[in-house]
Structures are given as C-alpha cells and as structure tokens.
Amino acid sequence: MARRKIAVIGAGPGGLAAAMMLSARGFNVQVFEKQPYLGGRTSSFTKKGYTFDLGPTFFSMPHILEEVFESSGRRLDDYVTLKELDPMYSLSFDDMTIRATRDREKMKRNIDSLFPGNGESYERFMNDTRKKMNALMPILQNKHASMLDYLRFRSLKALPQLELGKSLHDVLSNYFDDERLKLSFTFQSKYLGMSPWECPGAFSILSFMEHEYGVFHPIGGLNQLTKSMAKVIEEHGGEIHTGTGVKKLLINDKRTVTGLELDDGDLVEVDDVVMNADFAQGMSDLIDDSKRKKFKNVHLEKKKYSCSTFMIYAGMNQQVNLDHHTILFSQDYKKNVEEITKTKLLSADPSIYVQNPSITDSTLAPNGKSALYLLAPVPNNFSEINWENEKGHFRDLILDQVEKKTGLKELDKMIEVEEILTPYDWEHKKHVYKGATFNLAHNLGQMMYFRPHNKFNELDHLWLVGGGTHPGSGLPTIFESARITANLLTEKYKLEEVQA
Ligand SMILES: Cc1cc2nc3c(=O)[nH]c(=O)nc-3n(C[C@H](O)[C@H](O)[C@H](O)COP(=O)(O)OP(=O)(O)OC[C@H]3O[C@@H](n4cnc5c(N)ncnc54)[C@H](O)[C@@H]3O)c2cc1C
C-alpha cells in the first residue's frame, strides 16, 4: 500500500512531536511552517551573540519527551543535554525569598525555617498529590473523543483526591495558612495563564510535578527540544518547509479535508492534515466560517482564553547575579491576578518572572555576559490596552520593579541588546489568537471532552495537536497531545489495512 501522506500545519512542539512519531512509523510527513524558523513559541532568536528562548523556559517531566523519542526510535539523550536546576526557582516576596528544591529533606527544612511547623504540611501535600497525579495521568493521556470517554472520567469525579469542585487556592489552603506558602504552590497556574483562585484544584499536580520530577534546562535553551525533533523527522525522511504558510484547508462538499492551499497558491493533496497552528487562530484563518459548526468566529469569541505576556529579552553586558529562575511577586498578588484575568488592566505593581539562564548555560551569551528574559503576565487582547502607547512606560516599570525587588542596580545601563514582545505582537506577528499565549483557558468547561478533540469532529481527515487541544497547554501536555493524535492516526490506518 502507498505510504499515507500527512501534512502538519505548524512546526511548534506539538506539530513536530506528532510529525516525528508519524514519520518514524512510515507515514510520508510534510511540515509546513509559516515563520522562517521552526519551534513556534518554543523557538529562539539570536542577536549580537545573545540567544533567547522565545517562550518556554521551564522543562519538567522530561520522561514524557523521552518516551516520545523512544517511540520514534531515538533517545532524547543523544540530541539534548539536560541539566537539572537546584534550586529549581527562587520565589521572592517583599519580606522573604523561598528557594525551592527537589531535595525533599532540604525543602522541608527550608519551609520549617521560614514557617515553623509547616514542613509536615509540605510532606502531606506531596503524598496526597502523588495519589491525585496517579489518578489524573490516565485521564490526561486518554483521548476524550467521545461522551463515553468523558463519562468514564465523570465516574472518576467521585474520587476525592481530584478535588474538581475546588479552586487551586482552596486546595492549598488545606495544607498551609500562610499566603506566601500557598502562592509558592499555586503560582504555577500562570503556566496555564490562569488565576489560582479560578484554576481547577486538580492542577495542584503542576507544583507537585516540579517538586517530584524536578525542573530542567536543556543546554542551548528549550528551543533545543524542537530543533532535535526536527532533526529526527528529517532522519526518518520527513520534510519541513519553513517560510511556507498555509492559506487554507482544501475541503470538499462532504466536509472532508483533502489538502492545503499554501500562501504562494500551491496546492498540496494529502490523506490527512494535522493542525498545530494556535487553535482559534487556525480555525479563523484556515477554514471558511460556513464550514464550521461549533467553532464559528462568533463562538470562538465567546470562549475563555488564557492571559497574555509582556516580554523583554535583554542582553546584559555583564554577569547578572540571580538564580536561573526568579519570580518576583506583586505585593498584592490577588489584585494583580484580577487585573490580568478579570478587570483587564495594566498593573502598577506587576508580578515578574526573570530567567537568568547564563548562570547555568554559557552558550547563550558572550563570555562574562548574561542573556536575561523578563516576563510579566498581562491581559490578553480582549482588553482595551493600546500596546503601542503603553509599551515604553510598561517596560520602564518592569525594569524599575526588578531593580527594587532584586537589589540589582542600573539595569538600563547594562542592556546592550533588547527586544520587546507585547500581546499585540503575539497576535499579529506570532499568530496567537487575541495574544492569549497559553491558549484556550483550562476551566472545566473547556477541558477533556469539552476541549477541541484531537480528532476534529466537524471535518473528516483533520486532526489537532498542541496547547489548544486535549490535554492542554504546557510542554508535557502538548507532547501528550501529539502522542494521542499520532496514535489515533496510526490506529485508524492499521484498522483500515486489516479490513482491506
Ligand atoms: C511566553 C511563553 C512562555 C511559556 N513558558 C512555558 C514554560 O516555561 N513551560 C512550558 O511547558 N510551556 C510554556 N509555554 C506554553 C507552551 O509550551 C508553548 O507555547 C508551546 O510552544 C505551544 O506549543 P504548540 O505546539 O501548541 O504551538 P506553537 O508553539 O504556537 O506552534 C504553532 C506553530 O504553527 C505555526 N503556524 C500558525 N499558523 C500557520 C499557518 N497558517 N501555516 C503554517 N504554520 C502556521 C506558527 O508559526 C507556530 O510555529 C509558554 C508559552 C509562552 C508564549
């Protein structure tokens, strides 16, 4: 039988992971990427000797990607050097800094020294959440393509450890009284672009995952993960066309996807299409509104989306004395989160994440210098913020706050290379719907059965991967989405071969 042809739209981590597994299984895979570079939000750019990861900087649960490599006949170790970070990160509050480590005893001692008596609660949190994680993993790895899958999940709802009716903040209140400690185990909801007060309690697995499995840095940056997958695709005979955008899907009258029309007008006929482009943006750009049912533009506008991020990438002319990952909490974190997610205003005191990877990895900046990455979560583009007007002022505010909260002085004078990315840029330059950098929100109404399915329901021969489908945003889950989609496609054609 002729090799089945698969086109993947987008060379983000989801698209590349799916393409890697499918090409290893003998499919004829072509990846079409609009940008002149690969990796999507997990790419990098280099300026005057400084290399910056564009988006992800935290890599946890490497075993999932290791398994994805193994199922593609390769070993992740042969492509990427991972370095475990200790401390995993520093959490800086007005009056104290908590340095988080995976070393259980050391972490317990850290907590007890700052919050006497709370070390035991940390142990209890870890033990309870391990059970929750074991209950949740099969749910996340399951395809949730049908109501039956979901009902199976609903019956699990009875399991008390999933705590689905509670917010993440409520869950942590069962363990800690002190707000700073609660925030140390709930700020991870920002990875989903959500507030700890709204994020489902089940997501306490996010901080658990870090404390259980560690936080890693791939030498060269997280972009090395996508670059490595691209190598494997090509080793298996797959093709990656960068700078080759897809204009629209070719769909026949019977709602069957038959191929792609590229930006240059070329037509590509394939058996199946895997869409990795940002879900809502891809729907709006690539499929006529009339061919969609539940995902017409009016419906997409009513969905809930994650926050956005304001980014400063700064090449510093000297080494910066900060841990690899530092989170500087706003004095009134709850107000800051409400401004980001509800009132959609720019905070006067934003929380800021600073990555100083040069402390771990000498490949990212010229000798004796640092490639700094600063991120402030901000409202997505459902806000009325005019970023062209605000960006200079907000950039100065961030640098000012970093100086105040870290003790670093005259940052402006140290900067010799600078790039800024606003929510407007995420939407208009990076093709992220409404600049919602972490995709569709992860409220219960948009998860599992209620998230767009890996096998897209409304059109035949269209499949989804990436943060906009099940199980959701964040690299480990995105790799799971690729695994689910690649397995569904493989099963489909195996079955057809058996029946033929
Ligand atoms: C600032 C930021 C920080 C993050 N930090 C972390 C972190 O620390 N850890 C973590 O696990 N996750 C993090 N994430 C979340 C997530 O892991 C990344 O966003 C991830 O790259 C999303 O992968 P994806 O496969 O869904 O899509 P993307 O990376 O968005 O890739 C989609 C690709 O499709 C392409 N495309 C779009 N339209 C077309 C078209 N018409 N034709 C061809 N190609 C097209 C795009 O150019 C893009 O390359 C972060 C995200 C952001 C933005």
Side-chain angles (χ1 to χ4, degrees):
M1 187 187 288
R3 286 168 74 209
R4 298 286 176 174
K5 285 189 190 165
I6 313 262
V8 179
I9 307 176
L16 292 170
M20 180 168 84
M21 287 180 273
L22 291 168
S23 57
R25 292 172 196 174
F27 288 91
N28 176 346
V29 179
Q30 295 199 69
V31 182
F32 297 93
E33 169 55 55
K34 200 177 184 76
Q35 302 284 7
Y37 54 85
L38 55 83
R41 279 167 259 192
T42 311
S43 56
S44 62
F45 65 94
T46 297
K47 220 174 162 182
K48 292 192 184 155
Y50 293 93
T51 299
F52 302 96
D53 272 323
L54 184 74
T57 52
F58 271 65
F59 183 44
S60 187
M61 299 186 83
H63 62 271
I64 294 181
L65 187 58
E66 279 162 8
E67 287 165 17
V68 167
F69 266 71
E70 272 162 32
S71 75
S72 310
R74 295 292 187 272
R75 281 165 39 88
L76 178 63
D77 277 4
D78 292 336
Y79 294 81
V80 181
T81 306
L82 291 181
K83 197 157 175 193
E84 182 164 4
L85 300 177
D86 191 5
M88 298 190 289
Y89 41 76
S90 286
L91 305 173
S92 168
F93 299 95
D94 271 3
D95 49 354
M96 67 166 65
T97 296
I98 303 175
R99 295 177 101 202
T101 169
R102 172 152 85 122
D103 180 330
R104 198 65 38 85
E105 281 308 311
K106 202 160 131 196
M107 188 68 209
K108 201 171 158 198
R109 279 199 307 276
N110 283 354
I111 292 181
D112 267 330
S113 69
L114 295 166
F115 307 95
N118 279 272
E120 283 304 321
S121 308
Y122 163 68
E123 283 285 5
R124 191 159 57 84
F125 167 77
M126 290 300 288
N127 292 336
D128 290 352
T129 316
R130 191 170 299 109
K131 287 184 205 142
K132 181 190 278 190
M133 181 87 187
N134 291 338
L136 254 175
M137 258 338 253
I139 296 171
L140 295 179
Q141 290 173 327
N142 186 2
K143 58 189 188 314
H144 289 281
S146 69
M147 202 56 173
L148 199 68
D149 294 322
Y150 177 66
L151 290 175
R152 219 176 284 136
F153 154 75
R154 289 265 301 190
S155 59
L156 284 170
K157 203 172 172 179
L159 289 175
Q161 59 262 44
L162 293 187
E163 297 180 289
L164 289 177
K166 291 183 178 172
S167 76
L168 184 53
H169 190 267
D170 289 344
V171 170
L172 267 294
S173 301
N174 292 335
Y175 299 94
F176 304 122
D177 293 329
D178 191 280
E179 199 55 27
R180 290 160 297 187
L181 257 184
K182 288 182 205 172
L183 290 180
S184 304
F185 290 85
T186 58
F187 78 88
Q188 294 80 356
S189 62
K190 280 278 172 64
Y191 304 166
L192 306 173
M194 291 184 79
S195 146
W197 289 271
E198 291 187 345
C199 184
F203 283 110
S204 58
I205 60 166
L206 292 176
S207 51
F208 168 81
M209 269 158 40
E210 295 172 346
H211 285 265
E212 183 83 346
Y213 301 107
V215 174
F216 295 81
H217 173 78
I219 296 300
L222 268 80
N223 62 86
Q224 293 301 315
L225 304 179
T226 46
K227 292 194 173 106
S228 304
M229 291 192 284
K231 271 190 208 149
V232 178
I233 293 166
E234 288 175 342
E235 286 166 11
H236 285 303
E239 291 175 18
I240 302 173
H241 310 279
T242 48
T244 310
V246 175
K247 195 194 280 175
K248 63 175 186 181
L249 297 187
L250 302 177
I251 304 168
N252 72 14
D253 293 345
K254 291 187 179 150
R255 295 189 167 263
T256 298
V257 174
T258 58
L260 311 171
E261 179 182 341
L262 303 181
D263 282 345
D264 64 10
D266 278 1
L267 302 183
V268 182
E269 285 187 11
V270 288
D271 294 294
D272 292 87
V273 172
V274 176
M275 188 178 92
N276 177 222
D278 180 86
F279 173 75
Q281 196 62 48
M283 282 289 124
S284 329
D285 291 347
L286 304 179
I287 306 172
D288 280 351
D289 211 40
S290 63
K291 302 254 182 197
R292 291 178 260 149
K293 291 179 196 158
K294 278 200 209 150
F295 296 108
K296 290 186 180 296
N297 292 340
V298 288
H299 301 135
L300 290 173
E301 271 171 28
K302 287 191 188 129
K303 299 237 160 252
K304 289 198 164 60
Y305 293 88
S306 79
C307 70
S308 189
T309 53
F310 184 93
M311 316 290 301
I312 305 174
Y313 310 91
M316 311 300 275
N317 66 10
Q318 53 189 273
Q319 272 174 358
V320 173
N321 187 19
L322 279 180
D323 283 335
H324 190 110
H325 297 301
T326 302
I327 290 151
L328 308 169
F329 285 87
S330 162
Q331 216 169 21
D332 187 343
Y333 188 72
K334 191 167 186 189
K335 179 170 176 229
N336 173 225
V337 166
E338 282 179 1
E339 286 165 339
I340 297 166
T341 58
K342 284 191 177 150
T343 51
K344 303 224 185 284
L345 297 170
L346 265 189
S347 294
D349 176 18
S351 297
I352 301 163
Y353 158 60
V354 187
Q355 191 213 21
N356 183 32
S358 303
I359 199 138
T360 313
D361 182 350
S362 63
T363 67
L364 299 172
N367 225 348
K369 302 185 176 186
S370 301
L372 218 60
Y373 162 127
L374 302 118
L375 178 160
V378 290
N380 60 33
N381 294 335
F382 283 100
S383 83
E384 287 173 4
I385 299 167
N386 179 330
W387 283 106
E388 272 320 290
N389 292 347
E390 298 292 342
K391 92 174 174 190
H393 152 76
F394 198 63
R395 173 244 183 231
D396 293 347
L397 175 72
I398 288 177
L399 293 184
D400 210 42
Q401 294 287 340
V402 172
E403 285 185 4
K404 273 194 199 130
K405 293 180 181 181
T406 61
L408 292 169
K409 300 262 178 309
E410 302 194 293
L411 284 176
D412 237 340
K413 287 196 184 146
M414 290 189 223
I415 298 177
E416 57 180 22
V417 162
E418 183 174 337
E419 280 290 319
I420 290 182
L421 209 65
T422 69
Y424 178 90
D425 300 325
W426 281 116
E427 179 171 349
H428 297 278
K429 297 183 186 158
K430 306 292 177 191
H431 315 290
V432 175
Y433 187 80
K434 298 285 181 190
T437 38
F438 309 100
N439 236 299
L440 285 167
H442 294 73
N443 51 312
L444 286 180
Q446 293 187 166
M447 280 171 59
M448 286 159 278
Y449 179 71
F450 302 109
R451 212 164 175 80
H453 295 176
N454 302 73
K455 179 184 180 324
F456 191 63
N457 282 42
E458 303 189 1
L459 296 168
D460 287 335
H461 296 274
L462 179 61
W463 311 75
L464 304 179
V465 284
T469 184
H470 171 71
S473 182
L475 291 172
T477 34
I478 286 170
F479 296 135
E480 289 293 3
S481 81
R483 183 147 64 172
I484 293 169
T485 299
N487 288 346
L488 284 171
L489 259 162
T490 313
E491 276 162 29
K492 176 189 150 175
Y493 283 115
K494 254 196 207 149
L495 202 67
E496 281 187 13
E497 262 175 47
V498 172
Q499 285 167 349

